[in-house]
Amino acid sequence: MSEETRTRIRVQPVALSSVTHVNGLLSRLELGELSEDEVSSYRGRNDNWSGTTTSGHAVFVKQIVGQPADIQQRIHHMAAFDRLAAHHELEHLSTPRLLGYDLNHQLVVHEYLHGTVSAAELAADDAFTGELAALAGKALAEVHTLGAGRSHADSGTGPLPPVKGLEAIPGSVYAGSSAGSIEAWSILHTDTEVARAIVDLVGEAAAFHRPVHGDLRIDQILWDGERLYLIDWEEFRLGDPARDVGAFAGEWLYRAVNGIPEKVGKDHPGQADHQPTDAEVIAAGTAELDRLRPVTEAFWRGYRSVDASADEDLAVRAVRWAGWHMFDRMLALSEQSSRLPAISRAAAGIGRTALLAPEKFTKTIGLDV
């Protein structure tokens, strides 16, 4: 593992003197206060602060961004999961405890996990092993098999996929979109088969009522050398477990597609201007899938060892969610782009196949039963 990925990536935190409500909340929770000189922050869309307080508590404070009503709902989701987890003897799942929150200032406080590294950072060094993947599968299956009903969690569909945007995006969104983002949306707006498949996927998910993470990404999987943790339960709800399984598989599927340029480059050293043929792109993509598939296979074995009900139907639905994940990545990356990268178009093409013909894709991505 490289030195850069032994700890999670840090950035300069927002000065606590400008956000006095952070220490105000910590004081009300009787956790002490964070010191301006000793606090640190991790890269992400939300401002955050971590460190040890004056009373010796290790805390991670996050200020959630977004619309107020949406933020409050997300905080309630986190609190609901924390209550549910606290009432079960968990064998495989570890997650930092929720210590408190402030709805008015959109703040949440969790216990701070020292010395962790994310699965995304490990993956960048090819250090996320099959053993860790199996642990992630077991942890996620334990979430899905927790006894929970509608009194424990919401059963709404969640903000993604953006079903309303599949027909058209609002003028205000269009005006603020990058050229790359508009190009990405045009792919979805002109491919009626894919748009219908995504709408159907969301509709079918409403028939399932099992606890799910709801927004799983591999940067939400942390490893401290001894235990694996799942974090960020803002979209926790009752839903289809295939969504989470597909999100994990989709992360590795996307990594395989994203690795095509590097693989082609290695096959043509010293030829920076080489334009790969379609055959070379397909060969590189196949090689990357073969290289990364064992991670998803290990995850799926771990998952099925805990959830005996996991079957081919779950795998097929998960492939469809993995297909959506490819479009989700395309949309996310296009937001800051002046044009849609070729690799995003390739990801969308694979996502289309996974959405429309999932039965042919289970073995390809490592979810074979």
Side-chain angles (χ1 to χ4, degrees):
M1 187 187 309
S2 70
E3 185 66 29
E4 289 79 5
T5 60
R6 287 180 182 166
T7 56
R8 294 164 66 196
I9 299 171
R10 307 261 182 146
V11 296
Q12 184 66 32
V14 173
L16 286 170
S17 58
S18 68
V19 280
T20 56
H21 39 269
V22 171
N23 273 329
L25 173 59
L26 292 173
S27 295
R28 292 195 300 275
L29 295 172
E30 300 182 348
L31 296 172
E33 295 187 354
L34 288 171
S35 170
E36 191 83 68
D37 298 331
E38 298 180 5
V39 72
S40 61
S41 181
Y42 294 108
R43 185 173 65 189
R45 64 172 180 164
N46 301 297
D47 290 335
N48 60 85
W49 303 263
S50 59
T52 302
T53 67
T54 52
S55 59
H57 291 89
V59 299
F60 175 79
V61 186
K62 179 166 66 174
Q63 185 166 45
I64 303 175
V65 299
Q67 296 298 318
D70 177 56
I71 291 171
Q72 293 195 8
Q73 187 176 50
R74 288 153 63 188
I75 292 175
H76 284 309
H77 290 163
M78 284 187 275
F81 176 76
D82 189 73
R83 289 192 298 269
L84 180 64
H87 285 84
H88 288 81
E89 292 289 337
L90 301 174
E91 180 182 356
H92 305 289
L93 174 67
S94 296
T95 190
R97 289 183 298 119
L98 177 64
L99 302 176
Y101 53 88
D102 179 343
L103 291 175
N104 291 327
H105 293 104
Q106 297 87 49
L107 292 171
V108 291
V109 184
H110 285 90
E111 64 174 327
Y112 175 51
L113 305 175
H114 286 283
T116 58
V117 59
S118 77
E121 293 165 326
L122 289 170
D125 277 2
D126 290 329
F128 190 76
T129 64
E131 180 182 2
L132 294 181
L135 292 176
K138 290 178 180 180
L140 197 60
E142 189 162 49
V143 174
H144 295 166
T145 54
L146 289 175
R150 296 187 179 183
S151 62
H152 300 96
D154 290 343
S155 57
T157 58
L160 294 174
V163 173
K164 292 183 179 179
L166 295 175
E167 293 185 0
I169 56 175
S172 58
V173 174
Y174 180 89
S177 297
S178 68
S181 182
I182 293 171
E183 194 175 350
W185 277 110
S186 71
I187 291 176
L188 288 168
H189 290 161
T190 56
D191 193 333
T192 56
E193 282 189 290
V194 164
R196 173 50 54 189
I198 294 172
V199 171
D200 290 345
L201 187 64
V202 173
E204 291 167 10
F208 297 88
H209 302 285
R210 291 170 64 179
V212 298
H213 183 282
D215 187 31
L216 187 68
R217 300 186 306 273
I218 60 173
D219 61 0
Q220 295 162 333
I221 300 171
L222 305 182
W223 173 246
D224 69 0
E226 295 183 359
R227 294 195 68 84
L228 192 97
Y229 296 84
L230 297 185
I231 64 171
D232 289 352
W233 299 92
E234 296 173 23
E235 296 299 337
F236 168 69
R237 64 188 70 238
L238 301 182
D240 187 356
R243 179 178 192 132
D244 290 343
V245 175
F248 184 91
E251 288 273 84
W252 296 96
L253 181 59
Y254 186 78
R255 290 190 68 83
V257 176
N258 211 39
I260 291 175
E262 183 179 357
K263 179 69 172 65
V264 171
K266 287 181 178 179
D267 292 341
H268 296 83
Q271 302 178 44
D273 58 347
H274 174 73
Q275 296 297 316
T277 65
D278 289 347
E280 287 175 329
V281 170
I282 292 172
T286 300
E288 284 297 285
L289 275 172
D290 289 343
R291 184 177 69 86
L292 296 174
R293 185 187 302 110
V295 175
T296 305
E297 289 175 335
F299 165 87
W300 187 228
R301 286 195 300 271
Y303 185 96
R304 296 180 69 201
S305 72
V306 173
D307 184 359
S309 69
D311 57 12
E312 184 177 2
D313 184 56
L314 172 61
V316 170
R317 298 198 317 274
V319 169
R320 294 173 67 198
W321 279 107
W324 152 247
H325 188 82
M326 305 298 276
F327 284 98
D328 185 33
R329 293 294 85 209
M330 177 189 72
L331 291 170
L333 291 175
S334 71
E335 291 177 359
Q336 305 300 323
S337 304
S338 59
R339 61 178 302 176
L340 191 64
I343 204 67
S344 291
R345 288 185 174 277
I350 292 175
R352 187 180 198 279
T353 301
L355 275 164
L356 301 182
E359 298 86 355
K360 300 177 181 179
F361 228 55
T362 53
K363 186 174 182 178
T364 302
I365 66 175
L367 297 178
D368 196 23
V369 176

